[in-house]
């Protein structure tokens, strides 16, 4: 391993930390390696002298403020023994002379626990995203105030990307466990290597830039007001539901349609639309509104405006 | 040794290493090696804490095409060393009492 490989590895393993902190730590260790080389060690000896990399990483993180999150480590299911329940229902109904449907309704509302999730406490640096798992799903939660986030950038190879608002002050990234990577680098939250359906919930208290690049799959955005909105779909449709952005909106679909509604009036947008083969209900306009650029190669464009 | 106690002692050692002259990471570790064993992963957070506490200041000097961070002991840091020496007298007296001499 060269010292540059070591630096790349260190930066990658610390990529959930604020960029400034990563730069400081990387510079510190690079100087440590080079000082040892000046002292007569080879590059390999100098890196070895730093200590075992994983242990080193653990020591670096050990000093960061921590909080505890809970991760499910065991999920057991107690079968409800459906057949005997039905037989019991019939018998009780017969004895009581009660209408069976009424009895079924009552019993279905009674709490019968079908599964039990045992949680393990996991201590993580407070600057890292809070992660929780529920069954097969992962939810990564990011606090814009901690990370200084101003942008969310999503790159999806496969699957539907849905974006909706949430009431709390966090960005939530939810999808099947292992089907995406979510990391903060600089002031941007990168959601990458998405290969299954993904849900991103954006906090309405924060004004964030949103960029979505989808290869195969639809993009659906609900009730979001972003700072900027850039959406590109290669083999999928783009659906917008009462969406807007303050500075610009760019929508591009190679094969699919672009449909839905934007907030405010059509006159509030400066429209530049380009549709090659499909139909389009919009025409270009020149005014002082928010730039709205729409490009559809094969599909159609149908956008309504909801003031 | 209690980890907090050890951490406190290491911090004072690092400050002492900077008393004579400004220094940088690896040099601090070398200078302290006769007295204490220190690694970069232990030193880095110490330097960060001491800087936050105003005990040291950092500055950069160009070295072989890179910027090397140097650390400088401040008057606050000097005060910390002196406070430690006074407090340690108390610890020494307690140690003598416990030892029974």
């Amino acid at each position: 391993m060269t010292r540059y490989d070591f630096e790349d590895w260190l930066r990658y393993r610390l990529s959930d930390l604020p960029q400034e902190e990563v730069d400081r730590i990387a510079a510190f260790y690079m100087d440590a390696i080079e000082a040892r080389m000046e002292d007569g060690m080879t590059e390999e000896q100098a890196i070895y002298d730093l200590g075992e990399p994983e242990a080193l990483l653990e020591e670096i993180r050990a000093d960061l403020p921590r909080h505890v999150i809970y991760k499910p480590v065991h999920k057991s299911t107690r079968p409800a023994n459906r057949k005997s329940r039905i037989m019991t229902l019939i018998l009780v109904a017969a004895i009581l002379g009660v209408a069976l449907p009424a009895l079924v309704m009552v019993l279905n509302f009674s709490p019968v626990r079908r599964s039990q999730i045992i949680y393990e406490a996991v201590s993580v640096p407070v600057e890292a995203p809070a992660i929780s798992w529920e069954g097969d799903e992962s939810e990564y939660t990011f606090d814009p105030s901690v990370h200084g986030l101003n942008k969310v950038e999503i790159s999806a190879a496969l699957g539907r990307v849905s974006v909706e608002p949430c009431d709390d002050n966090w960005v939530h990234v939810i999808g099947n466990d292992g089907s995406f990577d979510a990391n903060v680098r600089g002031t941007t939250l990168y959601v990458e290597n998405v290969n299954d359906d993904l849900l991103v919930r954006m906090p309405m208290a924060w004004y964030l830039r949103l960029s979505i690049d989808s290869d195969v799959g639809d993009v659906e955005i609900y009730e979001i007001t972003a700072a900027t909105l850039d959406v590109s779909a290669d083999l999928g449709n783009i659906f917008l539901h009462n969406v807007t952005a303050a500075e610009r909106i760019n929508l591009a679909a190679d094969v699919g349609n672009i449909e839905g509604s934007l907030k405010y009036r059509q006159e509030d947008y400066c429209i530049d639309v380009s549709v090659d083969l499909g139909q389009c209900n919009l025409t270009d306009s020149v005014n002082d509104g928010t730039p709205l650029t729409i490009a559809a190669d094969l599909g159609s464009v149908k956008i309504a405006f909801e003031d | 040794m209690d980890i907090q106690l050890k951490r406190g002692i290491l911090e004072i050692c690092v400050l002492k290493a900077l008393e004579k002259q400004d220094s940088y990471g690896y040099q601090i570790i070398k200078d302290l090696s006769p007295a204490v064993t220190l690694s970069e992963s232990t030193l880095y957070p110490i330097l960060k804490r001491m800087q936050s506490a105003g005990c040291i200041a950092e500055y950069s000097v160009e070295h072989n095409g890179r910027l090397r961070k140097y650390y400088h002991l401040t008057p606050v840091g000097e005060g910390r060393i002196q406070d430690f020496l006074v407090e340690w007298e108390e610890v020494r007296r307690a140690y003598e009492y416990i030892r029974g001499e």
Side-chain angles (χ1 to χ4, degrees):
Chain A
M1 183 193 271
T2 68
R3 59 189 184 275
Y4 305 109
D5 293 335
F6 176 83
E7 183 182 8
D8 287 344
W9 171 84
L10 190 65
R11 285 181 174 278
Y12 175 72
R13 292 300 300 273
L14 297 174
S15 59
D16 57 303
L17 301 182
Q19 189 62 44
E20 199 184 316
E21 186 66 26
V22 176
D23 289 342
R24 283 178 64 98
I25 294 171
F28 186 79
Y29 280 90
M30 285 298 280
D31 189 57
I33 293 170
E34 287 170 4
R36 282 168 170 77
M37 291 170 69
E38 285 167 16
D39 224 21
M41 293 189 203
T42 64
E43 186 177 55
E44 194 179 336
Q45 287 170 334
I47 295 168
Y48 182 81
D49 197 51
L50 287 179
E52 210 282 312
E54 289 294 337
L56 187 153
L57 204 60
E58 207 173 301
E59 284 195 58
I60 291 172
R61 288 191 177 277
D63 208 62
L64 295 171
R66 307 185 77 80
H67 65 218
V68 173
I69 60 170
Y70 292 90
K71 169 186 167 185
V73 292
H74 175 69
K75 191 173 181 180
S76 64
T77 305
R78 288 186 288 125
N81 202 346
R82 193 174 163 78
K83 193 175 173 182
S84 69
R85 281 188 71 207
I86 292 171
M87 291 306 296
T88 306
L89 272 174
I90 294 171
L91 192 61
V92 170
I95 292 171
L96 297 179
V98 171
L100 188 57
L103 195 60
V104 166
M105 252 181 64
V106 167
L107 285 177
N108 273 339
F109 277 101
S110 66
V112 173
R113 194 159 50 164
R114 292 178 175 273
S115 65
Q116 184 180 15
I117 300 174
I118 298 169
Y119 287 89
E120 170 192 294
V122 175
S123 183
V124 297
V126 78
E127 289 166 355
I131 304 167
S132 64
W133 293 262
E134 182 81 21
D136 293 326
E137 247 185 17
S138 288
E139 178 171 342
Y140 284 56
T141 310
F142 299 85
D143 183 341
S145 66
V146 170
H147 294 288
L149 285 184
N150 63 27
K151 187 176 180 184
V152 177
E153 189 168 309
I154 304 168
S155 301
L158 198 62
R160 180 194 302 127
V161 175
S162 302
V163 182
E164 63 183 38
C166 61
D167 292 333
D168 58 37
N169 291 334
W170 297 59
V171 178
H172 302 255
V173 183
I174 304 164
N176 281 331
D177 198 16
S179 70
F180 64 91
D181 297 323
N183 290 290
V184 174
R185 300 195 289 276
T187 56
T188 299
L189 166 59
Y190 291 93
V191 185
E192 299 168 309
N193 303 317
V194 179
N195 56 46
D196 205 339
D197 291 352
L198 183 83
L199 171 62
V200 176
R201 307 186 69 221
M202 307 268 289
M204 289 298 93
W206 289 89
Y207 217 32
L208 298 175
R209 299 177 186 281
L210 178 60
S211 168
I212 304 172
D213 185 0
S214 168
D215 291 346
V216 179
D218 294 339
V219 177
E220 290 197 33
I221 306 175
Y222 297 82
E223 304 281 345
I224 294 291
T225 297
T228 60
L229 178 62
D230 298 284
V231 183
S232 167
D234 293 349
L235 288 175
N237 302 302
I238 299 174
F239 298 104
L240 308 172
H241 305 268
N242 206 27
V243 166
T244 194
E247 295 173 32
R248 69 163 188 269
I249 301 175
N250 288 329
L251 308 170
D254 289 353
V255 175
N257 301 321
I258 301 175
E259 296 175 358
S261 62
L262 295 175
K263 286 183 191 174
Y264 310 126
R265 305 166 305 163
Q266 188 166 346
E267 297 75 39
D268 294 320
Y269 296 90
C270 177
I271 301 172
D272 178 5
V273 63
S274 163
V275 178
D276 289 349
L277 291 179
Q279 295 182 332
C280 178
N281 71 325
L282 300 176
T283 53
D284 290 356
S285 65
V286 179
N287 57 37
D288 290 334
T290 302
L292 169 61
T293 306
I294 303 176
D297 292 349
L298 299 180
S300 297
V301 173
K302 189 174 178 187
I303 299 286
F305 294 88
E306 299 184 11
D307 189 8
Chain B
M1 185 190 290
D2 175 73
I3 196 161
Q4 293 297 337
L5 178 63
K6 186 173 181 181
R7 183 186 267 187
I9 290 172
L10 285 177
E11 287 174 358
I12 303 300
C13 287
V14 168
L15 294 180
K16 187 68 181 177
L18 296 173
E19 197 176 48
K20 279 186 191 160
Q21 61 183 16
D22 297 355
S23 190
Y24 58 95
Y26 180 57
Q27 191 60 49
I28 294 171
I29 290 172
K30 278 178 67 176
D31 290 344
L32 287 177
S33 60
V36 292
T37 304
L38 200 59
S39 65
E40 268 82 1
S41 51
T42 307
L43 178 61
Y44 179 81
I46 289 176
L47 291 170
K48 207 173 156 189
R49 274 198 304 277
M50 292 297 97
Q51 197 177 355
S52 296
C55 296
I56 62 175
E58 69 172 34
Y59 59 93
S60 298
V61 174
E62 197 183 333
H63 182 83
N64 290 347
R66 269 189 187 265
L67 288 178
R68 167 168 282 169
K69 282 246 165 55
Y70 279 79
Y71 301 92
H72 168 78
L73 186 70
T74 66
V76 173
E78 280 276 9
R80 274 286 286 266
I81 296 173
Q82 298 310 314
D83 288 345
F84 171 84
L85 292 173
V86 167
E87 286 159 10
W88 197 254
E89 269 306 303
E90 200 175 321
V91 172
R92 192 188 61 76
R93 285 198 295 274
Y95 169 80
E96 298 299 341
Y97 172 79
I98 293 164
R99 205 168 169 216
E101 290 179 6

